[in-house]
């Protein structure tokens, strides 16, 4: 998986998060948890995008580490929304699977980048 792939995947994930946010607000009248989900879920792609313009290897790794944290936080909000019945199982499974895949890709890039710098 190259850096461009994670950029594309994180962008598409953010678009899905925005659509889920709209659904939660419009149809479920849920505004607090969904706002948290929106912030963390869209931040992933923004940090991945920022990493593409990093000033150094350390900056690149730092930006991706932030994206990694935001991905994990997004998974938390998805789990909480499922547990509190704001999203159904199939909505959860699809989004969660994409989030886990993104998390694995980001972690892999970070590990590879750290090895290159040693």
């Amino acid at each position: 998986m190259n850096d461009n792939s994670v950029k594309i995947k994180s962008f598409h994930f953010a678009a899905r998060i925005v659509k889920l946010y709209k659904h939660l607000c419009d149809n479920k009248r849920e505004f607090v948890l969904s706002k948290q989900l929106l912030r963390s879920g869209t931040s992933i792609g923004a940090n991945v995008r920022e990493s593409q313009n990093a000033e150094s290897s350390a900056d690149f790794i730092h930006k991706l580490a932030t994206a990694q944290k935001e991905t994990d936080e997004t998974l938390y909000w998805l789990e909480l929304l499922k547990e509190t019945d704001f999203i159904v199982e199939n909505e959860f499974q699809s989004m969660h699977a994409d989030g886990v895949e993104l998390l694995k890709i980001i972690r892999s890039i970070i590990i590879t980048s750290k090895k290159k710098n040693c």
Side-chain angles (χ1 to χ4, degrees):
M1 194 64 51
N2 63 35
D3 295 347
N4 195 41
S5 296
V6 74
K7 183 176 158 183
I8 292 166
K9 284 184 180 290
S10 61
F11 180 82
H12 288 297
F13 186 73
R16 290 188 69 200
I17 290 289
V18 170
K19 289 174 185 175
L20 179 56
Y21 169 76
K22 287 178 176 179
H23 166 73
L24 289 167
C25 289
D26 294 345
N27 300 319
K28 302 288 186 168
R29 308 302 294 160
E30 198 302 306
F31 304 103
V32 178
L33 301 177
S34 58
K35 182 65 106 175
Q36 293 292 111
L37 177 74
L38 180 68
R39 288 179 187 183
S40 63
T42 57
S43 178
I44 300 162
N47 280 289
V48 166
R49 183 72 60 98
E50 283 184 40
S51 75
Q52 306 296 297
N53 298 302
E55 296 174 9
S56 65
S57 295
D59 188 35
F60 176 77
I61 292 167
H62 176 74
K63 299 249 189 288
L64 284 182
T66 301
Q68 176 181 268
K69 290 176 188 175
E70 295 292 341
T71 307
D72 200 38
E73 180 181 339
T74 301
L75 293 173
Y76 171 81
W77 294 120
L78 286 169
E79 291 161 11
L80 187 57
L81 285 162
K82 180 184 85 79
E83 188 65 28
T84 54
D85 300 319
F86 282 107
I87 58 176
V88 295
E89 186 68 28
N90 65 334
E91 290 171 320
F92 169 77
Q93 288 299 332
S94 176
M95 291 294 295
H96 192 265
D98 284 355
V100 168
E101 179 187 13
L102 203 48
L103 186 60
K104 288 178 181 178
I105 293 166
I106 293 168
R107 282 184 177 157
S108 176
I109 294 170
I110 291 170
I111 290 167
T112 302
S113 297
K114 284 180 177 180
K115 286 179 182 174
K116 285 181 183 177
N117 291 330
C118 289

